[in-house]
Amino acid sequence: MPASAQLDPQWSKRRTEKSRRLALVRHLADGPVLRSDDIVTALEELIAPGDRVALEGNNQKQADFLSGALARVNPAKVNRLHLIMPSVSRPEHLELFERGIARKLDFSYAGAQSLRIAQLLQDGLLEIGAIHTYLELYARLYLDLTPNVVLVAAFKADRQGNLYTGASTEDTPTLVEAAAFRDGIVVAQVNQIVDDPGQLPRVDIPGSWIDFVVQSEQPFFLEPLFTRDPRLIKPVHILMAMMAIRGIYERHQVQSLNHGIGFNTAAIELILPTYGERLGLKGKICKHWTLNPHPTLIPAIESGWVKSVHCFGGELGMEDYVAARPDIFFTGRDGSMRSNRALCQLTGQYAIDLFIGSTLQMDGLGNSSTVTRGRLSGFGGAPNMGHDPRGRRHASPAWLDLIETDDPLARGKKLVVQMVETFQNGSQPTIVETLDAVEVGRASGMPLAPVMIYGDDVTHVLTEEGIAYLYKARSLEQRKAMLAAVAGVTPVGMTHDPAGTADLRREGLIALPEDLGVQRSEATRSLLAAKSLADLVLWSDDLYAPPARFRSW
Amino acid sequence: MPASAQLDPQWSKRRTEKSRRLALVRHLADGPVLRSDDIVTALEELIAPGDRVALEGNNQKQADFLSGALARVNPAKVNRLHLIMPSVSRPEHLELFERGIARKLDFSYAGAQSLRIAQLLQDGLLEIGAIHTYLELYARLYLDLTPNVVLVAAFKADRQGNLYTGASTEDTPTLVEAAAFRDGIVVAQVNQIVDDPGQLPRVDIPGSWIDFVVQSEQPFFLEPLFTRDPRLIKPVHILMAMMAIRGIYERHQVQSLNHGIGFNTAAIELILPTYGERLGLKGKICKHWTLNPHPTLIPAIESGWVKSVHCFGGELGMEDYVAARPDIFFTGRDGSMRSNRALCQLTGQYAIDLFIGSTLQMDGLGNSSTVTRGRLSGFGGAPNMGHDPRGRRHASPAWLDLIETDDPLARGKKLVVQMVETFQNGSQPTIVETLDAVEVGRASGMPLAPVMIYGDDVTHVLTEEGIAYLYKARSLEQRKAMLAAVAGVTPVGMTHDPAGTADLRREGLIALPEDLGVQRSEATRSLLAAKSLADLVLWSDDLYAPPARFRSW
């Protein structure tokens, strides 16, 4: 193995440059431990103008001490950075562009900052490489977007740089590997530094992958993104949840699935132990999950519905509950959860029977987007799970059940369900003639309209009116008619000839609640296994500890 | 965090069972170091009847000391195992079934053992769960196929169980994580045990994920699967390579790609520095690769064509060359390569412009399979890369170039190319009316025919006759006609009316060599940048060390 010194300089420019930069900050560090007070100076030496920098803004965990420090570097020294971020979520992420420190952005998701990104783009201060799904963004780190520097967050480190990322592992290993193995520089902020590996609960990332650790002033910020208060679940959510269980989960024998954020799917989780139990479905459906640790899944877990849950990330307040249910969740030898967004997305893409999502807008062909005027919110992970993975070769009952021909070369399909109320807040139609995304894409100069889930990937649309079994459509026209038939009084719904509904029902192309044996009168909050977060705490045997902002009972 | 002792036994059965088993072998080990002589006894205690066992048979690296030991356990103690294996490659893998130690198999690939698997299946000694692509199989480890025990291989370990997997990391971290974080048991065979972490070149997998390490009698077996001797490249391969470069890579501006095993793609690699250079394409195409370290890529690397290569696994003999080119390959702080099949497959699926494959059989619609009568060879990674990933949302010039409409919601496409000679060995047609896979699937009781790449995922078919641009087909009939037009004198080709060829050429639906400016007379071995392995060694500055069996010059 040639040692660094013997390498041909022509083929080891990255390594030489890394060594040069590391040498500049040695005096600010004790081995791999950087002094917190010197972090701004250190970043000014470690990062060069035009560098590609992967900054850990995740769905939940934020490397906020490092992003804050980066926003304070001297733009005369560090500028025109190309930022690569799974999630753009903090105000200082965009200050970087306002100050000229960063110039280009490749990202997956931008929740609260979506409006400001669009504004900066318009003002010419920010240039977008592309908006990705999570897996695509990770993939490019190993192809054409290899980072020069990676800035991440962990709970703890030892003095050799070994990291404990625990329940909030999320994207960290995937970001770190791309730099650690291509002569990039890895800096991790941690809440606490201990002396020896033995004092870490466990090692999630080896110290040989990390160049520097630095203790942050405050523990990193964690967003409880997946906590839904059952008190806000309305009867219409429950009606739709009943239809989902009867008309989709039971009908196709859905054994493995992903649920996202939202009251619709929270309602499904909360009526499994009541409505689902009465239908005799326990042990038959909804056994394996790729899912953040939703508090609303607690009653189903406690009632024995759930066999396994693999998590993208953690959820604030769920730590002790998860640690107390190791037969269900993935946990380490120390007892705490292990999440891993890359592996969980991979599982959600390739191995589950069903993805069920919600959206802000859907057109008459089932194309949907959460992008609305003036907002570039990105994709996150939904499109990655919300499509039929054509590289899949293993079968499952649900997957096979979607075959509609007797061609010996026919293959099954993942169930991709869109579950939407026809109107939001009673006034804004969800099902529209043209997605705002088309105009946003054009106005922002994007090569394509930012469509979240494409209509031709959607197998079922479920509204409060009924279910359209789109995978059965034999033509584009029929597909439109089926969707319009469950689109209520939206503009798209109004195009539907009610006389056609009977035909579509008879042919099994759509189903109304009564076709599924779902009684509208039964769709009341009394079906919810937990009606409040306090109920969830009770179900959890006091192991679930809701964050303060949810503690209003 | 509740400690193990305080956990409700009802929710921690896996952890209790793991503790019970570990206690039974403590006397055979010094901390995590198992005595090699006791390996059979240890496996008998660590593995229970009916367990799911993930056994590391990879494309290249084999946990052969452990699989050999497992084949020697007492079937009265250990039986009916459910094996999960990326690659079934060694005779003892099937002895496990013959002896009743194992019963069920989920796998991805079975090269040399494909005939025997089919035989055992027929004899009722083996039951197949499913045949997967690599990514699917990994995904199921985190869903419904979580292993009780994982048996893997590494180069070195220290006495705390930290592992150095180096250039041959391959599938190991992905297999280990599934057990380490769900109270499964992880045993790693290693070639060498050192005392301290400091004596390891680097840590690839932390000791907190590993229960036992055991020194193997012999270094683990590594298969040089991706070494192709340039002497065996024929003029027809060179002709096809010229067409690929002009008619596909140049035309669509293919900047990132995967090449698999085979003389076809080896020929492309070897004429980039000659033919490609003359066309002025350096720096314009073929910059980023997901690829094993093919020796035949050396001349293109040395001539400055290649910006990055991320690898699925290592390649015997390429270790020093790769270590000496860290600007191109992913290497660790110690200088040796890091491969990672899961991440490389992910990149090959989601981030590259083009996948190009070969096959043993293709039907008139472009469906292809390497399964032929009596052989269950599995899929490996090809279908995972050989399809259009519908969850992709970022654009690239090649991807956008395949859009054929002006629909604002149109999306681009990955290029999926099948490159085949119309006949194998001059007599067996490659392009056939019906795939053998259809009959094999039926005879084996598989729910679906084992199709490798589906025709509707293929965008281009390239034969020695020409290129069919299938993504331009406006109907199934036209697609068939295009493929038949380049199918030569195979049964499928004979169905083609030669009079139609001119129309297809004029419309740009197919292209013959002359349409691409490719001179048949130029397709000689003199275009090869290296004509033998000895030439490759020269190109590599003596850093490439071909395995003994290839050293015949």
Side-chain angles (χ1 to χ4, degrees):
Chain A
M1 213 82 61
S4 245
Q6 305 159 334
L7 282 175
D8 185 337
Q10 186 198 339
W11 295 103
S12 52
K13 291 179 187 151
R14 297 175 70 100
R15 193 168 300 169
T16 307
E17 174 61 13
K18 175 173 174 171
S19 301
R20 189 190 68 78
R21 296 188 195 180
L22 294 189
L24 294 175
V25 298
R26 284 276 172 249
H27 70 287
L28 305 175
D30 175 9
V33 181
L34 267 178
R35 281 195 296 275
S36 310
D37 293 344
D38 294 322
I39 186 64
V40 173
T41 313
L43 293 181
E44 285 174 344
E45 302 288 10
L46 291 172
I47 306 179
D51 269 3
R52 279 200 290 260
V53 177
L55 172 58
E56 185 162 38
N58 287 351
N59 217 344
Q60 289 134 294
K61 179 169 69 167
Q62 303 298 332
D64 48 3
F65 178 66
L66 293 174
S67 56
L70 188 58
R72 294 202 308 278
V73 299
N74 181 349
K77 290 189 183 163
V78 179
N79 49 58
R80 293 178 294 109
L81 299 181
H82 178 171
L83 288 190
I84 303 161
M85 302 184 62
S87 183
V88 182
S89 14
R90 298 181 58 78
E92 73 264 21
H93 293 161
L94 295 179
E95 274 169 43
L96 293 167
F97 293 91
E98 285 167 350
R99 296 197 59 216
I101 297 165
R103 167 82 212 154
K104 190 168 176 182
L105 176 64
D106 274 277
F107 73 111
S108 285
Y109 183 71
Q113 303 302 328
S114 56
L115 200 59
R116 236 172 118 204
I117 288 186
Q119 192 58 52
L120 284 167
L121 186 70
Q122 206 176 338
D123 297 347
L125 292 172
L126 179 152
E127 183 187 326
I128 288 181
I131 312 182
H132 308 74
T133 59
Y134 291 127
L135 283 182
E136 286 177 84
L137 190 70
Y138 305 149
R140 293 192 68 191
L141 294 176
Y142 296 86
L143 189 81
D144 56 344
L145 292 184
T146 319
N148 303 95
V149 178
V150 171
L151 306 174
V152 297
F155 284 111
K156 296 183 184 186
D158 65 22
R159 297 193 155 271
Q160 294 156 41
N162 293 297
L163 297 188
Y164 169 64
T165 51
S168 297
T169 297
E170 294 194 65
D171 313 38
T172 317
T174 317
L175 301 179
V176 168
E177 182 163 344
F181 293 99
R182 199 132 187 264
D183 292 320
I185 294 169
V186 182
V187 183
Q189 71 169 69
V190 297
N191 298 346
Q192 191 192 346
I193 295 176
V194 299
D195 287 331
D196 299 311
Q199 293 169 276
L200 292 174
R202 68 178 189 240
V203 176
D204 286 290
I205 301 180
S208 8
W209 303 19
I210 307 294
D211 296 298
F212 293 110
V213 297
V214 56
Q215 177 148 353
S216 55
E217 284 158 358
Q218 310 235 328
F220 60 73
F221 180 75
L222 257 182
E223 172 79 23
L225 209 55
F226 293 87
T227 299
R228 287 292 170 272
D229 188 337
R231 282 183 307 185
L232 302 175
I233 294 176
K234 295 178 298 182
V236 67
H237 298 133
I238 297 165
L239 174 66
M240 290 166 70
M242 293 164 73
M243 286 195 273
I245 290 175
R246 291 234 71 171
I248 301 175
Y249 293 11
E250 179 184 16
R251 172 174 299 194
H252 302 295
Q253 304 172 58
V254 172
Q255 299 188 15
S256 55
L257 68 166
N258 163 259
H259 276 183
I261 309 178
F263 291 105
N264 286 329
T265 46
I268 298 177
E269 292 156 19
L270 287 170
I271 69 170
L272 284 175
T274 56
Y275 184 70
E277 192 96 17
R278 204 197 313 144
L279 295 170
L281 296 174
K282 187 158 86 178
K284 295 183 183 154
I285 62 166
C286 300
K287 294 191 283 189
H288 300 285
W289 300 71
T290 56
L291 189 82
N292 283 284
H294 292 182
T296 43
L297 196 64
I298 293 172
I301 293 172
E302 295 298 306
S303 324
W305 278 74
V306 177
K307 293 218 177 306
S308 72
V309 179
H310 188 263
C311 297
F312 306 98
E315 183 67 9
L316 208 59
M318 285 288 281
E319 294 84 352
D320 288 351
Y321 178 74
V322 166
R325 298 291 179 267
D327 280 351
I328 308 299
F329 291 94
F330 282 69
T331 57
R333 196 184 282 176
D334 63 307
S336 71
M337 191 174 84
R338 165 88 170 184
S339 58
N340 185 322
R341 195 177 316 281
L343 287 172
C344 197
Q345 285 282 337
L346 190 66
T347 306
Q349 180 192 22
Y350 258 126
I352 61 175
D353 288 333
L354 171 140
F355 163 83
I356 186 165
S358 209
T359 186
L360 296 179
Q361 282 192 336
M362 177 184 293
D363 71 14
L365 283 168
N367 297 298
S368 64
S369 182
T370 54
V371 167
T372 50
R373 297 194 193 283
R375 286 188 185 273
L376 281 180
S377 54
F379 301 120
N384 173 66
M385 294 183 282
H387 76 277
D388 183 39
R390 300 175 71 85
R392 174 171 170 169
R393 295 291 181 271
H394 75 276
S396 68
W399 189 80
L400 290 171
D401 201 43
L402 262 62
I403 295 180
E404 289 283 299
T405 78
D406 51 10
D407 179 348
L409 294 187
R411 42 183 160 173
K413 253 196 179 154
K414 178 194 270 176
L415 281 75
V416 176
V417 181
Q418 286 284 19
M419 185 176 184
V420 293
E421 281 179 77
T422 55
F423 281 83
Q424 282 148 43
N425 317 318
S427 66
Q428 191 74 6
T430 308
I431 306 178
V432 297
E433 282 169 326
T434 306
L435 297 179
D436 286 358
V438 173
E439 178 50 32
V440 171
R442 199 176 292 135
S444 315
M446 297 169 71
L448 296 176
V451 172
M452 174 71 84
I453 308 285
Y454 283 88
D456 51 7
D457 285 326
V458 175
T459 58
H460 301 70
V461 168
L462 193 172
T463 72
E464 75 277 15
E465 301 285 330
I467 299 174
Y469 295 92
L470 295 184
Y471 70 96
K472 289 175 177 275
R474 284 176 298 268
S475 69
L476 210 61
E477 281 315 302
Q478 191 172 54
R479 193 179 173 85
K480 277 187 183 171
M482 289 160 68
L483 208 157
V486 298
V489 294
T490 61
V492 168
M494 300 299 276
T495 66
H496 176 65
D497 172 15
T501 303
D503 288 341
L504 293 173
R505 286 172 70 185
R506 200 172 31 245
E507 292 182 59
L509 298 177
I510 67 162
L512 308 191
E514 47 270 40
D515 302 330
L516 302 168
V518 168
Q519 311 264 345
R520 287 171 197 269
S521 60
E522 223 190 313
T524 65
R525 287 183 40 85
S526 65
L527 271 191
L528 295 175
K531 293 175 187 63
S532 64
L533 286 170
D535 282 356
L536 291 174
V537 174
L538 274 179
W539 268 106
S540 79
D541 211 2
D542 277 331
L543 289 162
Y544 171 46
R549 74 163 105 150
F550 291 102
R551 292 179 165 279
S552 52
W553 64 87
Chain B
M1 214 80 59
S4 245
Q6 305 158 335
L7 284 174
D8 185 335
Q10 186 199 336
W11 295 103
S12 51
K13 290 178 187 151
R14 297 175 71 100
R15 193 166 300 168
T16 306
E17 176 61 14
K18 174 173 176 172
S19 301
R20 188 190 70 76
R21 297 188 195 180
L22 294 189
L24 293 175
V25 299
R26 284 276 171 251
H27 70 288
L28 304 176
D30 175 11
V33 181
L34 267 177
R35 282 195 296 274
S36 310
D37 292 345
D38 294 323
I39 187 63
V40 174
T41 313
L43 293 181
E44 285 175 344
E45 302 289 9
L46 291 172
I47 306 179
D51 268 2
R52 279 199 291 257
V53 177
L55 172 59
E56 186 162 39
N58 288 351
N59 218 343
Q60 289 133 294
K61 180 170 67 167
Q62 303 298 331
D64 47 4
F65 178 66
L66 293 173
S67 58
L70 187 58
R72 296 202 307 279
V73 300
N74 181 350
K77 289 188 184 163
V78 179
N79 48 58
R80 292 178 292 109
L81 299 181
H82 178 172
L83 288 190
I84 304 161
M85 300 184 62
S87 183
V88 182
S89 15
R90 297 181 59 78
E92 74 262 23
H93 293 159
L94 295 178
E95 273 170 44
L96 293 166
F97 293 90
E98 284 165 351
R99 299 196 59 216
I101 296 165
R103 168 82 213 154
K104 190 170 178 182
L105 176 65
D106 274 275
F107 72 112
S108 285
Y109 183 71
Q113 303 301 327
S114 57
L115 200 59
R116 234 170 121 206
I117 287 186
Q119 194 58 51
L120 285 167
L121 186 70
Q122 207 177 338
D123 297 346
L125 292 172
L126 179 152
E127 184 188 325
I128 287 180
I131 312 182
H132 308 73
T133 59
Y134 291 128
L135 283 182
E136 286 178 83
L137 190 70
Y138 306 148
R140 293 192 67 192
L141 295 175
Y142 297 86
L143 189 81
D144 57 345
L145 291 185
T146 320
N148 303 95
V149 177
V150 171
L151 306 175
V152 296
F155 284 110
K156 297 184 184 186
D158 66 21
R159 299 196 153 271
Q160 294 156 42
N162 293 299
L163 297 189
Y164 168 64
T165 51
S168 297
T169 297
E170 293 195 68
D171 314 39
T172 317
T174 317
L175 301 179
V176 168
E177 182 163 345
F181 293 99
R182 197 131 188 267
D183 292 320
I185 293 169
V186 181
V187 183
Q189 71 171 66
V190 297
N191 299 347
Q192 190 192 348
I193 295 176
V194 299
D195 286 332
D196 298 311
Q199 292 169 273
L200 292 174
R202 68 177 189 239
V203 177
D204 286 291
I205 300 180
S208 8
W209 302 20
I210 306 294
D211 295 299
F212 293 109
V213 296
V214 58
Q215 176 147 354
S216 54
E217 285 158 359
Q218 310 235 326
F220 59 74
F221 179 75
L222 258 182
E223 171 80 23
L225 209 55
F226 293 88
T227 299
R228 287 292 171 272
D229 189 336
R231 283 184 305 183
L232 302 175
I233 293 176
K234 296 179 296 184
V236 66
H237 298 134
I238 296 164
L239 174 67
M240 291 167 71
M242 292 164 74
M243 286 195 272
I245 289 174
R246 289 234 74 168
I248 301 176
Y249 293 10
E250 179 184 16
R251 172 173 299 192
H252 302 294
Q253 304 172 57
V254 171
Q255 301 189 14
S256 56
L257 68 166
N258 164 259
H259 277 185
I261 310 178
F263 291 105
N264 286 329
T265 46
I268 299 177
E269 292 156 19
L270 287 171
I271 68 169
L272 285 175
T274 56
Y275 185 69
E277 193 96 16
R278 201 193 322 141
L279 293 170
L281 296 174
K282 188 159 85 178
K284 294 185 184 155
I285 62 166
C286 300
K287 295 191 285 188
H288 300 286
W289 300 72
T290 58
L291 189 81
N292 282 284
H294 292 182
T296 43
L297 196 63
I298 292 172
I301 293 173
E302 295 298 306
S303 323
W305 278 74
V306 177
K307 293 217 177 309
S308 72
V309 179
H310 188 262
C311 297
F312 306 98
E315 183 67 8
L316 209 58
M318 285 287 282
E319 296 82 354
D320 288 351
Y321 177 74
V322 165
R325 297 291 177 267
D327 281 350
I328 308 298
F329 291 95
F330 283 70
T331 57
R333 196 184 284 176
D334 63 307
S336 72
M337 191 175 83
R338 165 87 171 184
S339 59
N340 184 322
R341 193 175 319 280
L343 286 173
C344 197
Q345 285 282 338
L346 190 66
T347 304
Q349 180 192 22
Y350 259 126
I352 61 175
D353 287 334
L354 171 140
F355 163 83
I356 185 163
S358 208
T359 186
L360 296 180
Q361 282 193 335
M362 177 184 290
D363 71 14
L365 283 168
N367 298 297
S368 65
S369 183
T370 54
V371 167
T372 48
R373 297 196 194 283
R375 288 191 183 272
L376 279 179
S377 54
F379 300 119
N384 173 65
M385 293 182 283
H387 77 275
D388 182 41
R390 302 176 70 86
R392 172 169 171 171
R393 295 290 181 271
H394 76 276
S396 69
W399 189 81
L400 288 171
D401 201 43
L402 262 63
I403 296 181
E404 289 282 298
T405 79
D406 51 9
D407 178 349
L409 294 187
R411 42 181 159 172
K413 253 194 179 155
K414 178 195 270 177
L415 281 74
V416 176
V417 181
Q418 286 285 18
M419 184 173 183
V420 293
E421 281 178 79
T422 56
F423 281 82
Q424 284 148 45
N425 316 318
S427 67
Q428 190 76 4
T430 308
I431 306 179
V432 296
E433 282 171 324
T434 306
L435 298 178
D436 286 359
V438 173
E439 179 50 32
V440 171
R442 200 177 291 135
S444 315
M446 298 169 73
L448 297 176
V451 173
M452 175 72 85
I453 307 285
Y454 283 88
D456 51 8
D457 286 326
V458 176
T459 59
H460 301 69
V461 169
L462 192 172
T463 71
E464 74 279 12
E465 300 285 331
I467 299 174
Y469 295 92
L470 296 184
Y471 69 95
K472 289 175 176 273
R474 286 176 297 270
S475 69
L476 210 61
E477 281 316 302
Q478 191 171 54
R479 192 181 175 83
K480 277 186 183 172
M482 288 160 68
L483 209 157
V486 298
V489 295
T490 60
V492 168
M494 299 299 277
T495 66
H496 176 64
D497 172 16
T501 303
D503 289 341
L504 293 173
R505 287 173 70 185
R506 199 171 31 245
E507 293 181 58
L509 299 177
I510 66 163
L512 307 192
E514 47 270 40
D515 303 330
L516 303 169
V518 169
Q519 312 263 345
R520 287 171 199 266
S521 60
E522 220 190 318
T524 66
R525 285 181 44 85
S526 64
L527 272 191
L528 295 176
K531 295 176 187 58
S532 65
L533 286 171
D535 283 355
L536 291 174
V537 174
L538 275 179
W539 268 105
S540 80
D541 211 3
D542 277 331
L543 289 160
Y544 171 45
R549 72 161 108 150
F550 290 101
R551 290 180 165 278
S552 50
W553 66 85

